[in-house]
């Protein structure tokens, strides 16, 4: 009889054992369970009688039976405890089979338990210990990583070749193209000469070592900190940096044409290790591959470019100057500007001091250089860069560097680029001829001192496109004029800034009155403002604006007299200062500043908005930027960033990132049309009437600054916007801007004089474009007069301002010869009627009109946007 048949389910009414007693047993009372293990380490015979256990039987298989309510399942803690003891299967047996093997049916040994190759997460561990590698695992990982790294470095060391340094200076030309695709210029010298170390003077070698890497002769050529810093910067998108040692810099020079990547940095590291012991080879390669500016790569080219001698003829003083250029020729070439000259002189002294400290020169050698700086010779420009071409190339190169930080002058000087510009040759030639013809007709520097050092800068931009198609940068580098006047900053633009103030008030509204929707009221060109000379200026809430001297501020026009209340259109026509200073307060000078930045002016060229005279053009943007900002009016409110390069090829492949800028709507089209209508009136009936010679519609604005330091005209048609600036500056003594008064035999120079004449000569050649006429302006905004303005046009106080916009309302002199808001001298600070700070600010004389009564609208709409009296910058204005 089978064991199952002999055994009773519960013989003798035996009570099931307690949970504590039964814990760990491999069976339970009840009927068999399908699939349950059928082995155990001990078994019991059925009891001989009720309540009496039978004798112990020999070990043998015992069939597991199903659990019952009297035999609960094991707890999780008990199961974990059993697993730690190595239980070998079953339903919770307390002991596993020997040797980790499971028992099969009928007590026969089963197959071994399956083991994992890598015990992770770790078996039998709980919590964070389950995820902590054992020391064996950690050691194994370290050995695998270390061994793999050593193997990879070894393979790289064997496989990466040392490049041919001489091949790295096999430079190519850059080719620049006109907008129509024809070749404009080639820049670059393919006749670079490699010189051996024996052909380089010892002072030139020692100066470079003293300046760049004093321990070069003894170090291992690697700076781990510098490498880590460079790798981190590249990985995080920061600025790339050169190597800290001459060895690293040399390797970087050789790899300069490749991308700035981590893999390239790794190659540099390997190459530096390979060549680190051959110091003469490294120094030779470094001196022949370093960039010195002026298009010179290598010490031989630099010696010729800066001093007209071979590298073996360089003395101590010259060598120290050339070594100083290695820190960055763009910042240290002393011939570029005054700042560079000052920086280089300081750097030159530093290099000489280090040479003496490292005992490569004696104190007597150092003394021979003395305080006299070894001035370089003038730049020898290739014939292909004469005239305006050098400034066109300069503008294109600056644009490239702004679009891609890797396309700096050093990289461009290595050549190989095909650069397609936006410049149109016929427009460039026409603009240059206009300037040349003007100077021939009006300036005689050999007979008149005031005609010397006259500078002109001009630029033309296509509205709604942004392409710079022409510029005039100066007389050419062949005539020792190196500064690009078209891109020069630092020259105040005067009253050409006033249209921006009017555009802000029309687009954003004035802070002195709210419209029906509760926002600042948007004004129109017929709003009336007081134009009396020396009229007081009020803040947006009606309180007097305070000047630098702590007293109420009063603004000058260029001419004395009471003009009364005039429309803003008339104020723009005759460029009165007082209305626009007041309008700046009403609209908020900060809002004006925000507006001109939307129009495209750079923030770093803007004067402080806290200045009361900010609306009068104390800012100093370039001619290019002024033409671009005015193009927004011509494009009916669409602003497009100016650009000078349309396409760049390298190795026959087009580089990304040079697509045409997208236009942005920054002004309402109706506002732009109204500004154009106001500026058409300036060109036809006001200070810009010289342009009437053209015979087709033109809009624009004149500008003259305090003391006659500069004069501007910015004019446009539908198809082209052109800015012309004029000033006097002696590039030799760097004494700053000089007065234009007396230039061309005129007592005063205004924007409506010579700048408008250059524009007119230019536009006569290129014509009006298409369409010829401007979009007619539709009404905009509402008439919001300043406090105290008459209730109707008939009550205007001044007869001179009551005429129609088409009639002269200013002085009897022709505006082209004398502007009513021309430059004025600062009021004397000691005068009883002019108490100020001596720079044109302050309380200048008694008020010519009573203080306007404070209207409810003025006090009802306070705003933080109104400009206050801060760091005032002199009285500006004028045509």
């Amino acid at each position: 009889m089978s064991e199952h048949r002999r055994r009773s389910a519960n013989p003798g009414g035996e009570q099931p054992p307690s949970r504590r007693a039964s814990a760990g047993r491999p069976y339970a009372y009840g009927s068999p369970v399908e699939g349950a293990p059928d082995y155990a380490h001990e078994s019991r015979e059925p009891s001989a009688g009720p309540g009496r256990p039978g004798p112990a039987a020999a070990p043998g298989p015992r069939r597991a039976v199903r659990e019952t309510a009297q035999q609960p399942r094991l707890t999780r803690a008990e199961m974990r405890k059993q697993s730690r003891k190595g239980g070998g299967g079953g339903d919770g047996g307390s002991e596993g089979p020997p040797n980790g093997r499971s028992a099969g049916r009928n007590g026969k040994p089963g197959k071994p338990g399956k083991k994992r190759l890598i015990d992770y997460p770790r078996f039998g561990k709980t919590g964070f210990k389950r995820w902590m590698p054992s020391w064996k695992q950690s050691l194994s990982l370290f050995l695998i990583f270390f061994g793999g790294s050593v193997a990879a470095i070894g393979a790289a060391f064997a496989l990466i070749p040392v490049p041919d340094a001489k091949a790295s200076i096999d430079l190519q030309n850059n080719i620049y193209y006109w907008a129509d695709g024809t070749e404009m210029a080639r820049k670059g010298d393919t006749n670079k000469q490699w010189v051996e170390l024996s052909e380089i003077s010892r002072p030139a070698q020692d100066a470079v070592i003293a300046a760049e890497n004093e321990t070069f002769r003894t170090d291992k050529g690697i700076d781990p900190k510098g490498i880590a810093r460079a790798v981190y910067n590249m990985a995080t998108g920061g600025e790339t940096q050169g190597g800290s040692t001459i060895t690293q810099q040399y390797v970087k020079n050789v790899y300069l044409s490749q991308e700035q990547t981590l893999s390239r940095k790794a190659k540099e590291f390997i190459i530096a290790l390979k060549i680190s012991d051959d110091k003469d080879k490294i120094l030779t390669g470094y001196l022949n591959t370093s960039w010195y500016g002026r298009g010179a790569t290598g010490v031989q080219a630099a010696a010729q470019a800066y001093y007209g001698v071979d590298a073996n003829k360089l003395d101590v003083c010259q060598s120290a100057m050339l070594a100083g250029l290695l820190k960055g020729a763009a910042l240290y070439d002393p011939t570029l500007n005054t700042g560079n000259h000052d920086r280089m002189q300081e750097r030159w002294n530093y290099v000489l001091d280090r040479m003496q400290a490292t005992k490569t020169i004696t104190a007597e050698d150092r003394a021979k250089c003395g305080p006299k700086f070894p001035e370089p010779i003038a730049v020898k420009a290739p014939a292909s860069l004469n005239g305006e071409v050098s400034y066109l190339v300069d503008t294109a190169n600056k644009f490239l560097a702004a679009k891609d930080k890797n396309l700096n002058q050093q990289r461009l000087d290595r050549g190989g680029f095909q650069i397609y510009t936006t410049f149109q040759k016929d427009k460039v030639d026409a603009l240059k001829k206009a300037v040349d013809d003007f100077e021939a007709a009006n300036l005689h520097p050999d007979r008149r001192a005031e005609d010397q050092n006259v500078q002109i800068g001009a630029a033309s931009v296509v509205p709604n496109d942004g392409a710079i198609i022409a510029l005039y940068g100066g007389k050419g580098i062949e005539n020792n004029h190196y500064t690009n006047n078209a891109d020069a900053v630092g020259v105040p633009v005067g009253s050409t800034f006033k249209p921006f103030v009017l555009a802000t008030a029309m687009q954003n509204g004035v802070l002195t009155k709210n419209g029906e929707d509760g926002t600042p009221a948007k004004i129109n060109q017929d709003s009336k403002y007081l134009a009396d000379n020396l009229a007081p200026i009020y803040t947006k809430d009606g309180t007097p604006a305070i000047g630098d001297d702590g007293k109420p501020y009063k603004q000058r026009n260029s001419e004395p007299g009471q003009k009364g209340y005039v429309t803003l259109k008339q104020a723009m026509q005759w460029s009165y200062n007082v209305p626009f200073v007041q309008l700046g307060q009403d609209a908020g000078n900060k809002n004006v500043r925000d507006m001109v930045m939307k129009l495209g002016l750079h923030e770093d060229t803007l004067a402080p908005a806290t200045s009361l005279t900010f609306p009068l053009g104390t800012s100093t943007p370039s001619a290019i930027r002024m033409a671009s900002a005015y193009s927004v009016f011509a494009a009916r409110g669409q602003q497009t960033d100016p650009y000078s390069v349309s396409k760049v090829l390298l190795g026959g492949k087009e580089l990304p990132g040079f697509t045409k800028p997208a236009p942005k709507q920054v002004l309402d089209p109706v506002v732009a049309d109204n500004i154009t209508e106001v500026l058409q009136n300036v060109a036809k009936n006001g200070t810009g009437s010289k342009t009437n010679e053209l015979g087709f519609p033109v809009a624009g604005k004149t500008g003259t600054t305090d003391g006659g330091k500069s004069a501007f005209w910015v004019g446009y048609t539908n198809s082209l916007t052109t800015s012309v600036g004029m000033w006097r500056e002696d590039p030799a003594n760097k004494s700053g801007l000089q007065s234009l008064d007396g230039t061309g035999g005129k007592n005063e120079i205004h924007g409506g004089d010579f700048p408008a004449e250059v524009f007119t000569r230019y536009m006569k050649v290129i014509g009006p474009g298409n369409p010829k006429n401007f979009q007619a302006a539709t009404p905009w905004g509402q008439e919001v007069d300043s406090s105290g303005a008459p209730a109707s046009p008939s009550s205007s106080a001044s007869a001179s301002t009551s005429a129609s916009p088409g009639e002269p309302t200013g002085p009897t002199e022709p505006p082209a010869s004398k502007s009513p808001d021309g430059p004025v001298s600062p009021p004397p600070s000691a005068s009883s009627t002019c108490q100020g700070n001596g720079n044109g600010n302050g309380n200048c004389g008694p008020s010519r009109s009573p203080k306007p009564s404070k209207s409810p609208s003025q006090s009802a709409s306070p705003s933080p946007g109104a400009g206050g009296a801060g760091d005032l910058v002199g009285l500006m204005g004028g045509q």
Side-chain angles (χ1 to χ4, degrees), residues 163-171 189-201 204-205 208 216 246-247 249-256 279-293 295-304 310-312 314 322 326 410 413-414:
D164 182 3
K166 291 184 179 181
S168 70
I169 65 164
D170 183 16
L171 307 182
D189 186 359
T190 58
N191 190 26
K192 301 295 184 185
Q193 183 180 359
W194 180 279
V195 291
E196 298 300 332
L197 199 60
S198 60
E199 300 174 79
I200 303 172
S201 72
Q205 300 177 38
V208 167
F216 167 71
I246 284 179
T247 303
Q249 292 182 55
Y250 162 57
V251 175
K252 181 179 182 293
N253 289 344
V254 173
Y255 272 86
L256 185 61
K279 298 297 184 179
D280 285 350
K281 180 178 180 180
I282 295 170
L283 186 59
T284 302
Y286 179 68
L287 290 172
N288 279 285
T289 59
S290 294
W291 183 68
Y292 289 83
T297 299
V299 66
Q300 171 66 16
Q304 286 289 343
D310 289 331
N312 62 354
L314 290 170
L322 293 180
L326 296 176
Q410 181 178 0
D413 278 349
R414 298 187 67 84

Side-chain angles (χ1 to χ4, degrees), residues 629-853:
Y630 268 62
S631 73
V632 177
F633 303 143
R636 305 194 67 219
Q638 295 250 9
Q639 188 274 335
T640 311
D641 292 334
Y643 67 102
S644 57
V645 175
S646 59
K647 183 172 63 174
V648 181
L649 301 181
L650 178 61
K653 296 182 179 179
E654 185 171 349
L655 299 184
F658 292 95
T659 55
K660 182 187 299 186
K664 303 179 289 290
Q665 193 78 38
V666 298
L667 280 181
D668 190 286
V670 180
V671 171
D673 293 341
N674 274 265
I675 297 295
T676 294
E677 183 178 75
V678 170
L679 298 185
Q680 275 188 272
N681 186 54
V682 172
K684 182 177 181 180
N685 304 310
T687 57
S689 61
K690 185 180 286 291
T691 60
N692 284 330
E693 299 175 21
L694 292 173
F696 54 79
V698 169
K701 183 69 184 76
T702 56
T704 307
T705 57
D706 186 30
K709 296 296 181 63
S710 61
F712 270 83
W713 165 263
V714 187
Y716 59 94
T717 62
N718 277 308
S719 59
L720 195 64
T721 304
T722 300
S723 173
V724 181
M726 182 176 178
W727 63 94
R728 285 184 68 217
E729 183 178 22
D730 184 358
N733 59 31
K734 306 295 183 182
S735 58
L737 300 181
Q738 303 170 354
S739 176
L740 286 168
D741 293 348
T743 301
K746 292 180 175 289
N747 292 333
E748 295 179 347
I749 301 298
H750 308 301
D753 294 323
F754 293 155
E757 180 179 340
V758 171
F759 173 86
T760 302
R761 289 175 180 270
Y762 173 53
M763 296 301 293
K764 282 181 179 179
V765 175
I766 67 174
N770 187 37
K772 182 177 180 180
N773 295 313
F774 292 106
Q775 175 75 31
T778 56
W780 172 268
Q782 59 181 298
E783 182 177 331
V784 182
D785 301 334
S786 64
S787 299
S792 64
S794 61
S795 59
S796 290
S798 174
S800 64
T801 61
S802 62
S804 65
E807 298 174 355
T809 59
T812 57
E813 294 88 353
S817 61
K818 191 167 187 178
S819 168
D821 74 336
V824 294
S825 301
S829 59
S831 169
S832 60
T833 60
C834 184
Q835 300 150 4
N837 59 8
N839 69 349
N841 303 308
N843 182 18
C844 300
S847 173
R848 298 301 183 94
S849 60
K851 174 183 175 181
S853 59

